[in-house]
C-alpha cells in the first residue's frame, strides 16, 4: 500500500527555497509533526549529502534533512526526471513544487505530463506554482492550458502568498461574521477605499527578476488585486474555496482595466546603481492607480492602490473611509466631523483599527480622533505563522482556500495589461527619494479624488 508524503522541490537550492520554503517546512514539520520527505531537484550538480546539509541549515530540522534526496536535472531532457519517478513510486501523496524561474515551467510540466508520475484527476498528485504566472493575459492563458494537459484544476495550487497571510484570510471573517459592517460596505456610506503595500527594502539581490518585472507585475497583478477582490466581493454562498473564488471572480470582472491617465509610476533614487540593473532601465519600483469597480455596490467609489520599494516603512493596509456625518453643529458653529476609518492592517502590527470621533475629555465639547483597535496577535499565544507555512500546510491537506484559481489569474492580467503596455511606451519614471512615500504625482492622483493617502502612524493621515 502506498504511504508517506514526498515534496519534490524543483529549484531547491535557489533563493526562494532557502529563504521561504525550507524554513517554513522546518517550522511546520516541527509544530505539526508532519512526516514527509523532501526531494530536491535542479540543475546544480549537488550530491544528496550536500543537499541534506542545505536542508538542515535552511529548515533547522535535522530529521527532515536526514531523509532528503537530491536529483540533478536537465529540464530540457525528460529522461533526466526518471530518478524522481523511481523515488516517488509507491508514495501516497506527491507534491511537485516549481520554485524555478518561469521559463522552466514549460519543460518541467512537459516532462511531468509525459511521465508516469501523475495521472490527471488523481488528487494525490499535486502541483504548486510560484509567480510569475505568465507576464500578460495571453501567456497566463497558455500556462493554464499547459497545466490542464497534465493536471485537473483541483490538483493545481497557484501561490499568492498574500492569500495565505492570516490577516488577509481574516478579511473574510471580519466582513462576513459581523453584521455590523456589511450594511455600510457599499457606495452609500463608503467614500473611498485605499490599499497600500509599501516596502522599506529595495530590490535586494533580485535585479535579474525585478528589472524584468516591475511593481505592477510583482505586486499589483496578484497581491493587491486579490486583496481588493476580498474586500469588495459579494458575500459568498459558502466559505468553501469554490464559492469564494466565484465571488472574487465576479469582483475582478467588475474592475475596469487600469488606465494610464489615472496611474503614477516611480523609480527609487539609486535603483539604476543596484547590481544587475540595466543603466537605462525604466522599470517602475513604485506604482499607484485609481481603480473603478463597475457594479451596484461600488459604482462611483474612488479606489486607490499603491505599492513600492524603498519607501518610508513597511506597511500593508486596507483603509475604508466612510462618508462624513451630515451635519455637526457645536456651539452654534458648523464643524467638520472626524471621518470614520476602518483600517485592516495586514502587516506589520497585524490587526484592525476603527478610527472614530470622540469627545475630548474635559469641560469643552470638542472632537478628537480616537481608535478602537484589535491587535490580531493577541488572539493567539503562539506567534503568527509565516504565510509560507500556511501555504504548505494547505497543500499538504489538499485545501484550496489560500490559492487563486486559473481564471482569477487571467482576469488580474486583463486589469493590469493596458497599463503595463502604456508604460512600456513612455520615458523614464519619476524618481523618488529612498525613504519617502513615493513620487509626488501619486499625491495628486488621490487629491483628484478629494483625499490623501492614509497609512497608520503617518503624520499625514493618522489612524
Ligand atoms: C513578493 C514579491 O511576492 O512579495 C516581492 O515578489 C515582495 O518583491 C514580497 O518583496 C512582499 O511580501 P511580504 O510578505 O514581505 O509583504
Amino acid at each position: 500500500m502506498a504511504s508517506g508524503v514526498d515534496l519534490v522541490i524543483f529549484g531547491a537550492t535557489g533563493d526562494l527555497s532557502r529563504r521561504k520554503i525550507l524554513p517554513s517546512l522546518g517550522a511546520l514539520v516541527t509544530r505539526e509533526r508532519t512526516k514527509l520527505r523532501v526531494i530536491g531537484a535542479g540543475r546544480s550538480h549537488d550530491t544528496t549529502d550536500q543537499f541534506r546539509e542545505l536542508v538542515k541549515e535552511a529548515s533547522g530540522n535535522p530529521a527532515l534533512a536526514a531523509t532528503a534526496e537530491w536529483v540533478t536535472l536537465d529540464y530540457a531532457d525528460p529522461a533526466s526526471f526518471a530518478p524522481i519517478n523511481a523515488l516517488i513510486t509507491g508514495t501516497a501523496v506527491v507534491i511537485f513544487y516549481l520554485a524555478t524561474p518561469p521559463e522552466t515551467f514549460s519543460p518541467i510540466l512537459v516532462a511531468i505530463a509525459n511521465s508516469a508520475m501523475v495521472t490527471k484527476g488523481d488528487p494525490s498528485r499535486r502541483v504548486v506554482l510560484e509567480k510569475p504566472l505568465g507576464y500578460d493575459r495571453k501567456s497566463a492563458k497558455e500556462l493554464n492550458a499547459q497545466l490542464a494537459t497534465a493536471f485537473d484544476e483541483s490538483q493545481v495550487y497557484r501561490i499568492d502568498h498574500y492569500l495565505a497571510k492570516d490577516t488577509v484570510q481574516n478579511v473574510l471573517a471580519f466582513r462576513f461574521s459581523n453584521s455590523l459592517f456589511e450594511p455600510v460596505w457599499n457606495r452609500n456610506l463608503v467614500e473611498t477605499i485605499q490599499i497600500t503595500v509599501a516596502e522599506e527594502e529595495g530590490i535586494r539581490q533580485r535585479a535579474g527578476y525585478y528589472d524584468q518585472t516591475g511593481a505592477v507585475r510583482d505586486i499589483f497583478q496578484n497581491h493587491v488585486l486579490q486583496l481588493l477582490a476580498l474586500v469588495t466581493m459579494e458575500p459568498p454562498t459558502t466559505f468553501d474555496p469554490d464559492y469564494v473564488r466565484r465571488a472574487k471572480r465576479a469582483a475582478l470582472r467588475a474592475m475596469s482595466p487600469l488606465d494610464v491617465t489615472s496611474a503614477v509610476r516611480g523609480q527609487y533614487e539609486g535603483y539604476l546603481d543596484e547590481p544587475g540593473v540595466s543603466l537605462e532601465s525604466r522599470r517602475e519600483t513604485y506604482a499607484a492607480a485609481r481603480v473603478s469597480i463597475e457594479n451596484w455596490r461600488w459604482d462611483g467609489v474612488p479606489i486607490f492602490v499603491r505599492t513600492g520599494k524603498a519607501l518610508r516603512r513597511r506597511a500593508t493596509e486596507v483603509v475604508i473611509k466612510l462618508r462624513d456625518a451630515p451635519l455637526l453643529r457645536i456651539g452654534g458653529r458648523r464643524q467638520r466631523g472626524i471621518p470614520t476609518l476602518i483600517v485592516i492592517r495586514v502587516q506589520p502590527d497585524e490587526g484592525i483599527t476603527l478610527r472614530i470621533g470622540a469627545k475630548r475629555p474635559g469641560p469643552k465639547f470638542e472632537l478628537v480622533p480616537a481608535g478602537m483597535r484589535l491587535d490580531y496577535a493577541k488572539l493567539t499565544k503562539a506567534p503568527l505563522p509565516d504565510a509560507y507555512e500556511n501555504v504548505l500546510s494547505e497543500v499538504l491537506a489538499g485545501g484550496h482556500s489560500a490559492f487563486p484559481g486559473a481564471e482569477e489569474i487571467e482576469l488580474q492580467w486583463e486589469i493590469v495589461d493596458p497599463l503595463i503596455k502604456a508604460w512600456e511606451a513612455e520615458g523614464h519614471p519619476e524618481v523618488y527619494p529612498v525613504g519617502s512615500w513615493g513620487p509626488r504625482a501619486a499625491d495628486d492622483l488621490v487629491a483628484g479624488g478629494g483625499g490623501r493617502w492614509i497609512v497608520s502612524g503617518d503624520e499625514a493621515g493618522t489612524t
Side-chain angles (χ1 to χ4, degrees), residues 8 37 39 69-73 77-89 117:
V8 184
R37 175 173 64 166
I39 301 174
E69 299 285 348
W70 175 258
V71 177
T72 297
L73 291 177
D77 175 14
S80 70
F81 287 65
I84 302 181
N85 197 8
L87 283 164
I88 65 172
T89 302
M117 294 192 280

Side-chain angles (χ1 to χ4, degrees), residues 76-345:
D77 175 14
S80 70
F81 287 65
I84 302 181
N85 197 8
L87 283 164
I88 65 172
T89 302
T91 304
V93 173
V94 181
I95 297 159
F96 299 96
Y97 194 133
L98 276 61
T100 49
E103 63 276 10
T104 64
F105 288 0
S106 179
I108 295 175
L109 290 171
V110 167
I112 294 178
N114 295 335
S115 71
M117 294 192 280
V118 297
T119 307
K120 192 169 173 175
D122 172 2
S124 77
R125 299 293 183 260
R126 302 169 197 162
V127 65
V128 182
L129 284 103
E130 280 283 346
K131 70 165 215 269
L133 301 171
Y135 54 90
D136 59 8
R137 179 164 185 271
K138 185 165 167 282
S139 51
K141 247 182 128 61
E142 284 163 9
L143 176 61
N144 283 337
Q146 188 172 26
L147 280 163
T149 59
F151 297 96
D152 182 71
E153 183 64 11
S154 61
Q155 294 168 274
V156 182
Y157 297 78
R158 298 173 183 80
I159 294 188
D160 183 320
H161 80 282
Y162 264 59
L163 277 187
K165 286 181 190 278
D166 245 86
T167 32
V168 173
Q169 292 285 317
N170 189 37
V171 171
L172 287 178
F174 178 69
R175 280 191 63 192
F176 301 122
S177 71
N178 299 291
S179 54
L180 178 64
F181 298 109
E182 263 318 281
V184 305
W185 216 262
N186 56 52
R187 65 194 299 280
N188 299 332
L189 277 175
V190 172
E191 185 180 296
T192 183
I193 299 177
Q194 290 187 8
I195 295 186
T196 296
V197 177
E199 294 186 87
E200 198 176 332
E201 277 192 300
I203 58 163
R204 300 195 320 268
Q205 309 305 318
R206 294 168 77 220
Y209 159 76
Y210 199 87
D211 207 34
Q212 302 296 318
T213 308
V216 174
R217 286 194 179 99
D218 189 40
I219 302 274
F220 262 25
Q221 187 274 343
N222 38 78
H223 308 327
V224 167
L225 290 180
Q226 280 290 325
L227 205 47
L228 187 57
L230 287 172
V231 168
T232 58
M233 71 185 196
E234 295 302 313
T237 311
T238 77
F239 286 96
D240 298 342
D242 267 358
Y243 285 93
V244 175
R245 283 179 173 185
R246 207 171 288 181
K248 280 193 289 173
R249 283 202 298 271
L252 289 166
R253 260 190 215 110
M255 291 179 202
S256 31
L258 299 184
D259 175 359
V260 69
T261 61
S262 315
V264 170
R265 73 196 166 123
Q267 190 183 77
Y268 65 80
E269 215 171 344
Y271 174 74
L272 297 179
D273 303 327
E274 297 278 20
V277 168
S278 123
L279 277 180
E280 291 87 47
S281 175
R282 289 180 284 128
R283 192 54 73 198
E284 83 284 358
T285 60
Y286 175 100
R290 182 178 171 145
V291 184
S292 312
I293 303 187
E294 291 176 357
N295 61 18
W296 272 53
R297 189 185 277 265
W298 298 114
D299 191 44
V301 175
I303 297 171
F304 296 98
V305 294
R306 62 174 171 169
T307 186
K309 301 260 183 209
L311 296 180
R312 185 164 311 162
R313 76 192 134 72
R314 178 167 183 253
T316 299
E317 295 190 349
V318 179
V319 177
I320 319 278
K321 182 172 184 241
L322 301 191
R323 292 189 191 285
D324 285 355
L327 175 67
L328 207 61
R329 261 183 200 286
I330 302 178
R333 279 189 307 125
R334 195 179 173 119
Q335 296 203 7
R336 270 191 68 86
I338 309 277
T340 306
L341 301 180
I342 301 167
V343 182
I344 301 173
R345 291 196 319 276

